[in-house]
C-alpha cells in the first residue's frame, strides 16, 4: 500500500486527522480534493476492491462536511451487492446517506434489497429493513411490500420491530397498501416486547392516517389491546430496562395515548371505553420528572382530542394549571403549547390562567415569551382588553430589543381590534409610538393618522400629546412622523389649546416652539427621506397657519435647495416658491387635508396585509364597525357604502362617480346588500334605477329570467328592452308590486290594462327564461354606472361549471339630447381578475336613449369565493367634437362572482 | 415524525447528520449553520425547545441538549411529544456513553459510522424503534460482533443480485437517459461485462 498519506491507502482515521489538522478552509478543501481524486482512481481501477469499504466510509465523512460525493453512489450499490456482511453494512449506510429516494440509481438496489430481505441471516435482513425504512420510494414500496409483510410474522423481535417501522414508510408512500397491513398490525399489539409494541403502535397510527377502513378496523379490533397495554405499563414496573426516571417506559405510554387519540376522535363508544384508563394515567402518573410530565402532557392532549366526559376535561385543565406554575422552562413551554390548542375547546378554562400566562410573556426565555404572547393575543376580549394592554405596554419599556418588534405588532393589533373608544386607542398608540416607535409597522401608523383625521374633537388632544411625547422620545421614527404630520395639520390647535379635554394638563406652546419641533425632527441624523419629506410638508403648512413664522420657515426650507436627495431638493425649491411668490393661493393650497376615508383605508390595508399576515383576520376588519369607534365624524354618506362592497380594489378606492349619481348608488347598494327591506326602500323617492334594482334583486328564477332574457340581438333592435323603465317610468310601481307578489301570472294580469309593451316583455322573459337557464346560470343585471349623461347596464351570465368566469354584456345608453361620437369604453380590474374585452357594437351612441351601443366582455376571478368582483370603468367620447371623459367604479356586483 | 438528528460541535462543525426527510445535500451545511446560529445564542437554563418553522417548514421544532462541546439536536414535527423527544436525546446520549465509555467529541469524530449504527437501532425512517439504551447496545454489539466475524473482506460482487434489473432493456434505457455521466460509465461497464459473460 502506498505510503503517501493522501493516497487512497490512507486509513479513515488518518484522513479525519488530516482534515482536522487543516488550519484554513482552503487547506481542508485541498485535503478533501486529494482524497476524492484518490477514491475516484480506486473506483475505476481493478484490484482495489478490498479498499472499497474504507473508501465508502471516507466518502460518508466527506459528504457530512458538505462536499459532493455522487461519484461514490455506484460503489454503494456494489458494496450492497457484495456477499460479506461488513461490506453490506457499510454499503447500506452509504446508501442511506449518499442516495435518496429521488435518484434513479435507487431502482438498481431494489433487487439487492429483495434478496437481502429474504436472507437467512437476521443481521442482513435488519440492514435491508433499515435501509428500506429510510429511503423507500413509492415504486420500491409496491415491489417490496410482500417481503416486509412476511417479515412482520418473523419470530425475531429485532426483525419484527424493524419490519413494522418499514411498513410505516411503505404505507406513507402508498396508502393503498394500508389494508394489507391492518390485520398484522393489530395482532402485533399482543406482543410483550416493548420495542415491538412501540413499532406496532406507530404502524397502527400511520394506518389510521392512511385509510378510513383501517381506522374503523382498528377501532373495532385493537382498542381493548391498547387499554390493556396501557394498564400493564402504568401498573407494573416489570421492565426495568425501559425505566426512565422511575416511570416505566414513557415512550410506549405516549405512543399508545397518541393512538388512542386517533381512535377516540369523533367516536363516543371508543372514547367511553378509554375514560377509566385515561383518568388513571392522569391521576397516578408522578409529575416530578420530565418523563412523567411527558406522559401527562400526552394524556391531556388525548383527553382534549377525544369525546371525553366533562370530569375528565376538568382533570386535564387542572394538570395544565400545574404545568404552568412549574419551574422547569420546558414544562411551561409545552403547557403554553397545549393551552393554544385547548383555547378552541374551552376558552373559559384557559382564561383562568391568564395572569400566569401574562407572567410568561415577561419570561427570560425567548421560546416561552413568544408562545405566551401568541396565547395572550388569543385570550384578549372586550372585557379584559384594557388591563391586558396596560400590562403589555408597561412591559414594552423593559422588553428585550429583539422581542419588541413582536410585542409591538401584537399590541397594535389588539388595540385596533378591541378599541371601544377612540381616546383609549389614541392613548395606547401614543404610548407604543413613544416606547417602540422604531418597531411600529407603516400600516399601523398610517391607520393612526386616518383615525386622528376622522376624530375632529380629539385632534387638538392628539397633536398636544404627540408634541409632548416627541420632546421626550425624539429618537422614535414613527412617533416623529405621526407627530410631524399632526403638527403640520393641526398646528393652531397645538398653540391655542383648542378642544381641551377635561383631564388634560394645559401646555404652553408658542408658534416658534412648534416650528422648532419640526425643524429638530428634520435635522435628526436618523430621519430618512420619508420623514424629512413629511417635515418639509409640515413646515410648508405651518407657514400658512402661522404667518409670523413664514420668514423663518422660508429660510429652513431654503437650506435644502442643494440637498443631495433629489426629492427633497425639488420639494424645497417648490415650497420656497409657494411661500415667497404665491401668497394669494397659499392659504387655500395649504388647507387641512380632507378627512381621510377610514373605510377605504381599512379595505386597502386588509387586502395588502392579507397575504403576509395570516393571523391578522383580514375579513373581520373590512367593516368600519370593526374599529369600534362610535364617535367618528359623519362622512360623505355614499362613499363608504360603495367601498364596502369593493373589497379588493388595489388603489385607494375613492369613488369617482360624479356627485349627482351618489344618491342612486347609495340606494342601490343598500338594496344590493340584502333585500329584506324591499318595500320600504322602494317607496319614497324611488328613481328609476332603484326600481330596476329592486327587480333584479328578487330571487325567484322567473324574475331573473326576465332580465336575462335580453339576448344581444334583441338589445340591438330594441335597445331599451332590458331597461324599459327608462322610457316609461309610469307603470313601474305596478311592475314593482307585480314582481314582489309571488305569482307571475297575476302580476301580468293586473298590469295588462295599463301598459302593453312591458307585459309583453315580461311574458317574453318568462318563456325565454326556461330555455336560457339550462345553459347558463342566470344572474340579475345591474346598473353599473349612471350619471346625468350616460347610463350603463351590465347583464351578467355565468357559464355552468365555471364559477370563476362571468360573461358581462354591457349596454350604454345616452341620456342627453346630443349624439356621442368616438365612444370608447375601458375597464380596469384588480390583479387577481382577468379581463377580456370584445369589440363594441359601434362607437356612436344615439341621443335621448334612441338606441345604444353594446359591448361584451369576460372576467375571470382567480380568487373566486374569496374576493368579490370589482371594476373601474372609464368612458371617453366626443360631444359636438368636444372630448368628454367619465369614470366610475362598479362595486355593486352581486355576491359570489 | 423525527425529521433529522444532528450532532454539531460548539464551533459549528457537523459531527453527525442524518435526515429522515430528503434534504438537498447542498443545503446541509446551510442547515447546520442556521441551527448553530439559533443554538449558540441561547443562554443556559432556558427551555430546550426552539421553533424552526423558517428552517424546516411550518410546525417543526427542535429539541437540543448542550453537553460539553457538542449540541445534540433532534428536529421533529408537530406529531411528536416534545418532552418525549427530550428524553429520547437523553437515551441517545446514554447509549453513546455506554458505547464509548465516557463519550467525548473525539470518539464521535472518529467513529461517526458507529454513531450511525447506534442511531439506526434507535430511529428508523423518522420513527422511534427502540428506547431502551440497553437493548440498543445489545443490538449494536451484535452487529459489531457479526462484522468482526466476517472481517476478512469479501471482494466478490454478487452480480446475480444486480443482474435481472440490468438485463431488462426497459431499465437500461431509463438508466442511460437519467444517470449522471460517471455512474453511467460504470453501469455500461458492468452491463457489457455481463453480456459478454
Amino acid at each position: 500500500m502506498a505510503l503517501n498519506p493522501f493516497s487512497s491507502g490512507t486509513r479513515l482515521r488518518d484522513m479525519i486527522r488530516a482534515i482536522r489538522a487543516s488550519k484554513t478552509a482552503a487547506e481542508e478543501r485541498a485535503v478533501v480534493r486529494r482524497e476524492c481524486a484518490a477514491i475516484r482512481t480506486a473506483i475505476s481501477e481493478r484490484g482495489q476492491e478490498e479498499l472499497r469499504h474504507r473508501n465508502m466510509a471516507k466518502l460518508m465523512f466527506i459528504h457530512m462536511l458538505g462536499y459532493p460525493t455522487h461519484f461514490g453512489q455506484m460503489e454503494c450499490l456494489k458494496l450492497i451487492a457484495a456477499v460479506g456482511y461488513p461490506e453490506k453494512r457499510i454499503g447500506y449506510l452509504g446508501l442511506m446517506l449518499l442516495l435518496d429516494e429521488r435518484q434513479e440509481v435507487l431502482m438498481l438496489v431494489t433487487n439487492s434489497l429483495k434478496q437481502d430481505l429474504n436472507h437467512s441471516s437476521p443481521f442482513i435482513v435488519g440492514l435491508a429493513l433499515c435501509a428500506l425504512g429510510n429511503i423507500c420510494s413509492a415504486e420500491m414500496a409496491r415491489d417490496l411490500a410482500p417481503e416486509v409483510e412476511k417479515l412482520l410474522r418473523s419470530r425475531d423481535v429485532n426483525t419484527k420491530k424493524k419490519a413494522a417501522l418499514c411498513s410505516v414508510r411503505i404505507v406513507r408512500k402508498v396508502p393503498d397498501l394500508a389494508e394489507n397491513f391492518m390485520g398484522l398490525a393489530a395482532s402485533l399489539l399482543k406482543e410483550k416486547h416493548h420495542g415491538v409494541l412501540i413499532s406496532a403502535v406507530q404502524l397502527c397510527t400511520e394506518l389510521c392516517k392512511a385509510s378510513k377502513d383501517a381506522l374503523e378496523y382498528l377501532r373495532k379490533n385493537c382498542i381493548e389491546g391498547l387499554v390493556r397495554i396501557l394498564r400493564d405499563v402504568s401498573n407494573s414496573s416489570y421492565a426495568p430496562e425501559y425505566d426512565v426516571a422511575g416511570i416505566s417506559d414513557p415512550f410506549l405510554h405516549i405512543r399508545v395515548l397518541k393512538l388512542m387519540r386517533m381512535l377516540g376522535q369523533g367516536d363516543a363508544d371508543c372514547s367511553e371505553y378509554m375514560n377509566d384508563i385515561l383518568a388513571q394515567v392522569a391521576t397516578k402518573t408522578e409529575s416530578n420528572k420530565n418523563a412523567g410530565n411527558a406522559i401527562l402532557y400526552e394524556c391531556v392532549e388525548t383527553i382534549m382530542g377525544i369525546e371525553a366526559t366533562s370530569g375528565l376535561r376538568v382533570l386535564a385543565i387542572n394538570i395544565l394549571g400545574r404545568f404552568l406554575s412549574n419551574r422547569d422552562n420546558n414544562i411551561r413551554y409545552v403547557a403554553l403549547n397545549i393551552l393554544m390548542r385547548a383555547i378552541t375547546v374551552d376558552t373559559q378554562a384557559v382564561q383562568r390562567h391568564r395572569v400566569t400566562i401574562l407572567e410568561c410573556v415577561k419570561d427570560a426565555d425567548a421560546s416561552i415569551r413568544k408562545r405566551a404572547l401568541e396565547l395572550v393575543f388569543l385570550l384578549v376580549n372586550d372585557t379584559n382588553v384594557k388591563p391586558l394592554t396596560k400590562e403589555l405596554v408597561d412591559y414594552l419599556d423593559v422588553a428585550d430589543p429583539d422581542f419588541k418588534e413582536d410585542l409591538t405588532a401584537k399590541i397594535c393589533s389588539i388595540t385596533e381590534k378591541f378599541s371601544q373608544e377612540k381616546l383609549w386607542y389614541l392613548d395606547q398608540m401614543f404610548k407604543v409610538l413613544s416606547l417602540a416607535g422604531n418597531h411600529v409597522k407603516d400600516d399601523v401608523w398610517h391607520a393612526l393618522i386616518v383615525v386622528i383625521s376622522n376624530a375632529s374633537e380629539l385632534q387638538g388632544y392628539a397633536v398636544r400629546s404627540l408634541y409632548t411625547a416627541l420632546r421626550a422620545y425624539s429618537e422614535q421614527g414613527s412617533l416623529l412622523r405621526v407627530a410631524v404630520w399632526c403638527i403640520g395639520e393641526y398646528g393652531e390647535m397645538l398653540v391655542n389649546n383648542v378642544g381641551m379635554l377635561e383631564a388634560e394638563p394645559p401646555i404652553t406652546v408658542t408658534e416658534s416652539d412648534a416650528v422648532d419641533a419640526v425643524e429638530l425632527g428634520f435635522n435628526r441624523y436618523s430621519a430618512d427621506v420619508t420623514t424629512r419629506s413629511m417635515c418639509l410638508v409640515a413646515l410648508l403648512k405651518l407657514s400658512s397657519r402661522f404667518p409670523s413664522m413664514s420668514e423663518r420657515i422660508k429660510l429652513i426650507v431654503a437650506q435644502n435647495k442643494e440637498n443631495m436627495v433629489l426629492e427633497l431638493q425639488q420639494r424645497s425649491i417648490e415650497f420656497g416658491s409657494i411661500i415667497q411668490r404665491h401668497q394669494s393661493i397659499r392659504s387655500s393650497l395649504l388647507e387641512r387635508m380632507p378627512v381621510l376615508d377610514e373605510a377605504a383605508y381599512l379595505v386597502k390595508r386588509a387586502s395588502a396585509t392579507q397575504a403576509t399576515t395570516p393571523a391578522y383576520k383580514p375579513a373581520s376588519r373590512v367593516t368600519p364597525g370593526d374599529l369600534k369607534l362610535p364617535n367618528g365624524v359623519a362622512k360623505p354618506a355614499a362613499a363608504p357604502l360603495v367601498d364596502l362592497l369593493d373589497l379588493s380594489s388595489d388603489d385607494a378606492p375613492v369613488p369617482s362617480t360624479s356627485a349627482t349619481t351618489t344618491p342612486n348608488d347609495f340606494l342601490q347598494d343598500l338594496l344590493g346588500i340584502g333585500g329584506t327591506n324591499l318595500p320600504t326602500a322602494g317607496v319614497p323617492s324611488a328613481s328609476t334605477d332603484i326600481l330596476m334594482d329592486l327587480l333584479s334583486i328578487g330571487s325567484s328564477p322567473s324574475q331573473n329570467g326576465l332580465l336575462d332574457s335580453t339576448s344581444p340581438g334583441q338589445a340591438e333592435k330594441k335597445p331599451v328592452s332590458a331597461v324599459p323603465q327608462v322610457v316609461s317610468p309610469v307603470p313601474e310601481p305596478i311592475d314593482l308590486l307585480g314582481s314582489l307578489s309571488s305569482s307571475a301570472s297575476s302580476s301580468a294580469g293586473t298590469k295588462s290594462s295599463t301598459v302593453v309593451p312591458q307585459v309583453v316583455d315580461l311574458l317574453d322573459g318568462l318563456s325565454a327564461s326556461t330555455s336560457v337557464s339550462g345553459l347558463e346560470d342566470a344572474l340579475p343585471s345591474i346598473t353599473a354606472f349612471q350619471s346625468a349623461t350616460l347610463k350603463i347596464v351590465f347583464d351578467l351570465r355565468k357559464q355552468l361549471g365555471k364559477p370563476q368566469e362571468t360573461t358581462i354584456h354591457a349596454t350604454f345608453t345616452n341620456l342627453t339630447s346630443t349624439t356621442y361620437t368616438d365612444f370608447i369604453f375601458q375597464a380596469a380590474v384588480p390583479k387577481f381578475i382577468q379581463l377580456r374585452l370584445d369589440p363594441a357594437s359601434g362607437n356612436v351612441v344615439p341621443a335621448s336613449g334612441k338606441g345604444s351601443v353594446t359591448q361584451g366582455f369576460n372576467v375571470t376571478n382567480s380568487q373566486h369565493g374569496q374576493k368579490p368582483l370589482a371594476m373601474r370603468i372609464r368612458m371617453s367620447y366626443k360631444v359636438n367634437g368636444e372630448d368628454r371623459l367619465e369614470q366610475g367604479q362598479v362595486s355593486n356586483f352581486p355576491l359570489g362572482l | 415524525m423525527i425529521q433529522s438528528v444532528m450532532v454539531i460541535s460548539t464551533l459549528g462543525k457537523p459531527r453527525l447528520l442524518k435526515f429522515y426527510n430528503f434534504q438537498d445535500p447542498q443545503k446541509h451545511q446551510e442547515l447546520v449553520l442556521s441551527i448553530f446560529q439559533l443554538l449558540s445564542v441561547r443562554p443556559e437554563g432556558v427551555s430546550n425547545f426552539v421553533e424552526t418553522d423558517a428552517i424546516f417548514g411550518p410546525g417543526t421544532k427542535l429539541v437540543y441538549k448542550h453537553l460539553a462541546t457538542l449540541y445534540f439536536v433532534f428536529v421533529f414535527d408537530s406529531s411528536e411529544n416534545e418532552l418525549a423527544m427530550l428524553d429520547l436525546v437523553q437515551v441517545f446520549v446514554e447509549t453513546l456513553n455506554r458505547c464509548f465509555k465516557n463519550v467525548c467529541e473525539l470518539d464521535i469524530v472518529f467513529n461517526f459510522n458507529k454513531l450511525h449504527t447506534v442511531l439506526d437501532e434507535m430511529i428508523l425512517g423518522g420513527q422511534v424503534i427502540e428506547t431502551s439504551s440497553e437493548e440498543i447496545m445489545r443490538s449494536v454489539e451484535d452487529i459489531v460482533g457479526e462484522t468482526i466475524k466476517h472481517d476478512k473482506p469479501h471482494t466478490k460482487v454478487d452480480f446475480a443480485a444486480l443482474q435481472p434489473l440490468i438485463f431488462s432493456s426497459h431499465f437500461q434505457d431509463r438508466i442511460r437517459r437519467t444517470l449522471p455521466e460517471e455512474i453511467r460509465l460504470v453501469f455500461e461497464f458492468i452491463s457489457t461485462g455481463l453480456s459478454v459473460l
Side-chain angles (χ1 to χ4, degrees):
Chain A
M1 231 160 273
L3 291 172
N4 179 346
F6 297 122
S7 81
S8 61
T10 27
R11 295 183 303 159
L12 170 65
R13 199 162 264 273
D14 297 331
M15 183 194 80
I16 297 177
R17 277 210 190 100
I19 289 175
R20 277 172 59 81
S22 313
K23 290 199 178 60
T24 62
E27 229 172 281
E28 182 187 295
R29 274 198 296 275
V31 174
V32 171
R33 208 162 33 230
R34 263 177 301 201
E35 281 294 339
C36 285
I39 294 170
R40 278 169 193 257
T41 326
I43 289 173
S44 57
E45 276 172 22
R46 280 169 171 271
Q48 299 259 19
E49 283 88 352
E50 69 273 14
L51 292 178
R52 225 180 234 149
H53 97 262
R54 179 193 289 174
N55 284 342
M56 185 47 62
K58 283 187 192 169
L59 273 183
M60 280 155 55
F61 191 84
I62 291 170
H63 178 81
M64 182 170 72
L65 295 179
Y67 296 93
T69 51
H70 52 90
F71 56 86
Q73 288 173 349
M74 205 59 201
E75 287 294 287
C76 272
L77 304 197
K78 286 192 210 159
L79 279 166
I80 290 169
V83 181
Y85 178 72
E87 284 78 19
K88 272 189 191 296
R89 191 181 146 205
I90 197 88
Y92 276 118
L93 259 185
L95 179 75
M96 288 186 274
L97 291 179
L98 308 188
L99 275 79
D100 66 83
E101 58 181 282
R102 302 208 284 205
Q103 267 146 336
E104 291 277 339
V105 197
L106 205 56
M107 66 188 182
L108 285 174
V109 95
T110 312
N111 209 45
S112 302
L113 273 172
K114 191 163 186 157
Q115 288 200 355
D116 287 345
L117 288 175
N118 289 316
H119 205 278
S120 57
S121 156
F123 292 103
I124 290 179
V125 174
L127 282 180
L129 280 173
C130 185
L132 191 62
N134 279 325
I135 56 159
C136 162
S137 64
E139 248 170 74
M140 287 167 92
R142 282 210 180 82
D143 289 345
L144 298 174
E147 264 71 27
V148 177
E149 257 176 73
K150 204 171 67 196
L151 289 171
L152 276 176
R153 297 194 187 89
S154 148
R155 243 181 272 161
D156 180 53
V157 286
N158 265 325
T159 309
K160 224 186 297 192
K161 64 188 183 188
K162 282 185 182 165
L165 288 188
C166 217
S167 319
V168 170
R169 170 105 184 182
I170 289 176
V171 171
R172 192 173 291 166
K173 288 287 164 195
V174 189
D176 301 348
L177 291 171
E179 280 158 42
N180 301 8
F181 286 100
M182 59 194 189
L184 279 167
S187 67
L188 279 181
L189 293 177
K190 299 190 182 86
E191 294 279 337
K192 284 274 177 286
H193 188 274
H194 281 216
V196 177
L197 278 180
I198 286 200
S199 311
V201 171
Q202 288 178 97
L203 176 56
C204 290
T205 314
E206 195 62 38
L207 290 172
C208 292
K209 276 188 220 160
S211 127
K212 275 229 162 80
D213 291 345
L215 178 64
E216 281 310 315
Y217 177 85
L218 292 172
R219 264 185 190 152
K220 279 200 199 85
N221 291 292
C222 74
I223 189 70
E224 282 174 51
L226 282 178
V227 170
R228 187 177 44 76
I229 294 171
L230 201 53
R231 189 171 296 132
D232 287 352
V233 172
S234 56
N235 285 347
S236 64
S237 53
Y238 72 95
E241 74 259 41
Y242 285 96
D243 191 289
V244 177
I247 309 258
S248 166
D249 205 348
F251 295 98
L252 185 56
H253 262 111
I254 288 164
R255 294 288 162 187
V256 172
L257 285 168
K258 208 182 274 291
L259 180 54
M260 282 184 161
R261 183 157 73 243
M262 298 211 76
L263 297 179
Q265 213 153 32
D267 186 311
D269 291 344
C270 256
S271 302
E272 199 192 320
Y273 201 85
M274 294 174 212
N275 267 338
D276 287 349
I277 187 71
L278 287 178
Q280 187 190 331
V281 173
T283 43
K284 284 203 178 159
T285 311
E286 289 188 35
S287 62
N288 48 5
K289 285 278 163 48
N290 182 50
N293 283 323
I295 296 174
L296 284 175
Y297 170 45
E298 199 66 43
C299 192
V300 169
E301 284 242 56
T302 299
I303 292 173
M304 296 285 184
I306 66 168
E307 318 296 313
T309 58
S310 60
L312 210 49
R313 290 233 160 124
V314 171
L315 195 62
I317 296 281
N318 288 343
I319 292 175
L320 288 185
R322 262 189 288 149
F323 272 21
L324 264 188
S325 49
N326 201 304
R327 286 246 193 91
D328 187 338
N329 283 331
N330 290 330
I331 310 283
R332 274 191 295 157
Y333 176 83
V334 295
L336 290 170
N337 258 342
I338 332 179
L339 283 171
M340 292 272 269
R341 268 168 271 176
I343 205 164
T344 50
V345 182
D346 192 349
T347 320
Q348 255 354 81
V350 183
Q351 287 283 5
R352 263 191 281 148
H353 301 298
R354 204 174 57 226
V355 180
T356 330
I357 296 168
L358 205 55
E359 282 309 301
C360 291
V361 175
K362 302 169 188 172
D363 202 275
D365 188 333
S367 301
I368 291 183
R369 273 197 313 243
K370 195 160 166 259
R371 265 294 124 103
L373 184 61
E374 279 166 29
L375 195 53
V376 168
F377 185 64
L378 294 178
L379 282 178
V380 175
N381 58 26
D382 285 329
T383 51
N384 62 21
V385 61
K386 285 194 176 175
L388 274 180
T389 314
K390 185 178 181 316
E391 284 276 345
L392 293 179
V393 170
D394 288 348
Y395 179 60
L396 195 55
D397 200 15
V398 289
D400 233 30
D402 293 341
F403 190 51
K404 266 189 184 164
E405 187 161 342
D406 272 352
L407 191 57
T408 313
K410 285 281 190 289
I411 297 177
C412 294
S413 206
I414 291 172
T415 47
E416 284 174 13
K417 203 163 142 197
F418 292 100
S419 56
Q420 287 121 330
E421 55 215 61
K422 268 193 180 171
L423 183 60
W424 180 80
Y425 167 74
L426 292 181
D427 277 339
Q428 302 311 311
M429 287 310 296
F430 293 160
K431 274 190 216 158
V432 172
L433 284 177
S434 309
L435 293 172
N438 289 328
H439 301 284
V440 174
K441 297 261 182 327
D442 280 355
D443 59 332
V444 172
W445 65 262
H446 289 170
L448 175 62
I449 285 185
V450 173
V451 171
I452 295 177
S453 147
N454 278 294
S456 54
E457 66 290 337
L458 290 174
Q459 281 160 355
Y461 172 71
V463 67
R464 284 187 295 275
S465 309
L466 284 166
Y467 177 81
T468 323
L470 188 60
R471 300 194 65 160
Y473 304 96
S474 56
E475 74 285 358
Q476 301 292 355
S478 46
L479 175 68
L480 179 59
R481 288 179 184 184
V482 179
V484 160
W485 188 88
C486 287
I487 293 173
E489 292 294 320
Y490 314 117
E492 72 280 7
M493 297 190 176
L494 173 65
V495 179
N496 305 332
N497 279 336
V498 174
M500 286 290 278
L501 299 185
E502 274 176 29
E504 196 186 336
I507 55 168
T508 327
V509 185
T510 64
E511 295 182 349
S512 149
D513 287 342
V515 177
D516 279 348
V518 180
E519 190 189 3
L520 264 176
F522 186 87
N523 290 330
R524 275 200 76 79
Y525 69 93
S526 59
D528 59 3
V529 181
T530 315
T531 313
R532 294 218 158 110
S533 312
M534 289 180 78
C535 289
L536 275 185
V537 175
L539 283 172
L540 178 67
K541 292 212 164 185
L542 285 183
S543 77
S544 149
R545 311 260 189 284
F546 310 144
S548 60
M549 286 286 124
S550 185
E551 270 311 298
R552 191 176 150 211
I553 289 171
K554 198 174 88 188
L555 286 177
I556 301 171
V557 171
Q559 282 165 8
N560 291 291
K561 280 189 175 158
E562 281 150 20
N563 198 308
M564 296 290 280
V565 182
L566 191 62
E567 171 74 20
L568 296 180
Q569 191 189 81
Q570 189 184 348
R571 294 294 159 242
S572 144
I573 291 169
E574 288 168 4
F575 291 174
S577 103
I578 292 174
I579 297 172
Q580 204 164 354
R581 280 189 254 146
H582 300 283
Q583 297 283 353
S584 52
I585 57 161
R586 189 171 69 181
S587 59
S588 52
L589 188 66
L590 302 180
E591 262 178 16
R592 242 179 240 168
M593 296 258 290
V595 173
L596 299 166
D597 188 337
E598 207 168 327
Y601 178 74
L602 284 175
V603 167
K604 184 179 160 199
R605 188 178 169 194
S607 59
T609 48
Q610 202 161 26
T612 50
T613 38
Y616 217 62
K617 294 189 183 160
S620 66
R621 42 178 54 254
V622 167
T623 54
D626 200 53
L627 239 178
K628 290 186 192 155
L629 300 173
N631 49 354
V633 293
K635 297 177 204 94
L641 273 163
V642 174
D643 279 317
L644 256 183
L645 294 176
D646 174 15
L647 295 176
S648 48
S649 81
D650 282 331
D651 314 310
V654 181
S656 40
T657 36
S658 59
T660 51
T661 69
T662 323
N664 282 342
D665 281 6
F666 178 60
L667 277 164
Q668 253 170 35
D669 280 319
L670 260 185
L671 297 168
I673 291 163
T676 48
N677 51 352
L678 285 183
T680 52
V683 176
S685 62
S687 76
T688 52
D689 293 287
I690 297 161
L691 289 166
M692 209 186 67
D693 259 281
L694 268 179
L695 291 171
S696 63
I697 292 158
S699 54
S700 99
S702 67
Q703 287 171 18
N704 292 345
L706 158 73
L707 288 154
D708 251 12
S709 64
T710 329
S711 71
Q714 262 179 317
E716 273 166 46
K717 279 180 261 152
K718 204 170 50 167
V720 286
S721 68
V723 281
Q725 295 83 352
V726 179
V727 197
S728 52
V730 188
E732 279 355 293
I734 304 163
D735 204 335
L736 168 66
L737 292 173
S739 47
L740 284 174
S741 75
S742 55
S743 118
S745 63
S746 72
S747 74
T750 51
K751 277 199 301 182
S752 56
S753 57
T754 49
V755 265
V756 182
Q758 274 70 27
V759 175
V760 173
D761 230 319
L762 181 65
L763 293 173
D764 259 353
L766 282 172
S767 57
S769 69
T770 44
S771 59
V772 172
S773 60
L775 286 169
E776 292 175 325
D777 220 358
L779 285 162
S781 334
I782 55 167
T783 303
F785 179 84
Q786 166 136 35
S787 67
T789 48
L790 185 68
K791 170 171 172 141
I792 303 174
V793 174
F794 281 2
D795 284 340
L796 308 168
R797 303 275 170 94
K798 250 195 156 72
Q799 296 284 324
L800 281 183
K802 285 186 195 164
Q804 302 189 327
E805 220 175 295
T806 313
T807 309
I808 300 177
H809 191 82
T811 310
F812 310 107
T813 314
N814 182 351
L815 303 179
T816 63
S817 51
T818 333
T819 305
Y820 296 164
T821 56
D822 296 335
F823 183 86
I824 296 170
F825 168 76
Q826 290 170 305
V829 286
K831 288 185 200 83
F832 60 87
I833 296 176
Q834 281 169 356
L835 172 76
R836 204 193 66 229
L837 273 171
D838 296 335
S841 62
N843 63 356
V844 177
V845 192
S848 315
K850 287 188 198 116
S852 59
V853 171
T854 61
Q855 185 163 18
F857 54 100
N858 234 329
V859 289
T860 311
N861 183 354
S862 65
Q863 303 211 16
H864 175 77
Q866 298 159 29
K867 292 187 180 178
L869 214 52
M871 186 181 291
R872 288 183 159 206
I873 51 175
R874 192 163 96 154
M875 286 67 60
S876 60
Y877 51 86
K878 286 188 176 167
V879 182
N880 299 330
E882 241 184 82
D883 278 312
R884 292 282 171 86
L885 191 71
E886 289 196 65
Q887 46 191 3
Q889 177 156 336
V890 190
S891 35
N892 54 343
F893 285 110
L895 292 173
L897 284 187
Chain B
M1 179 185 164
I2 299 167
Q3 310 254 4
S4 164
V5 173
M6 301 184 190
V7 180
I8 303 174
S9 80
T10 39
L11 297 173
K13 288 268 178 204
R15 294 302 179 209
L16 174 83
L17 293 182
K18 179 89 180 176
F19 297 98
Y20 293 100
N21 264 357
F22 174 69
Q23 299 282 350
D24 188 349
Q26 295 177 340
K27 294 267 167 66
H28 287 183
Q29 301 308 308
E30 268 175 52
L31 291 174
V32 170
L33 186 66
S34 45
I35 291 205
F36 175 69
Q37 282 166 347
L38 272 184
L39 298 186
S40 56
V41 294
R42 287 180 71 84
E44 287 286 316
V46 298
S47 69
N48 298 66
F49 307 111
V50 186
E51 271 142 63
T52 52
D53 304 50
I55 307 173
F56 284 95
T60 56
K61 284 186 199 123
L62 66 79
V63 56
Y64 73 99
K65 267 203 171 166
H66 182 183
L67 298 168
T69 54
L70 292 174
Y71 290 111
F72 289 83
V73 182
F74 280 40
V75 183
F76 53 93
D77 63 17
S78 55
S79 68
E80 296 287 339
N81 180 316
E82 290 93 339
L83 296 175
M85 284 296 123
L86 189 61
D87 274 342
L88 199 63
V89 181
Q90 186 61 34
V91 171
F92 185 49
V93 175
E94 261 173 39
T95 315
L96 292 183
N97 221 17
R98 285 183 187 212
C99 221
F100 296 108
K101 312 270 179 310
N102 286 329
V103 65
C104 69
E105 190 180 345
L106 277 189
D107 289 325
I108 287 173
V109 172
F110 285 105
N111 296 289
F112 71 96
N113 36 9
K114 192 165 184 185
L115 245 71
H116 275 291
T117 309
V118 172
L119 198 56
D120 285 342
E121 290 302 315
M122 196 169 105
I123 299 168
L124 200 161
Q127 309 284 340
V128 182
I129 181 168
E130 185 60 68
T131 54
S132 143
S133 64
E134 218 163 283
E135 280 274 320
I136 299 171
M137 266 313 290
R138 206 176 299 145
S139 316
V140 172
E141 271 162 15
D142 285 351
I143 288 173
V144 172
E146 181 76 8
T147 315
I148 293 167
K149 206 161 75 190
H150 294 95
D151 207 19
K152 202 175 166 343
H154 293 256
T155 53
K156 214 176 82 197
V157 172
D158 181 8
F159 280 115
L162 290 165
Q163 208 166 355
L165 279 171
I166 286 173
F167 276 136
S168 83
S169 59
H170 162 71
F171 277 124
Q172 282 193 352
D173 287 350
R174 197 157 151 205
I175 289 165
R176 290 214 174 85
R177 263 185 287 115
T178 53
L179 287 192
E181 184 66 6
E182 273 159 292
I183 299 170
R184 196 178 58 82
L185 288 178
V186 176
F187 165 75
E188 297 277 336
F189 167 73
I190 301 173
S191 59
T192 47
L194 282 172
S195 30
V196 169
L197 284 173

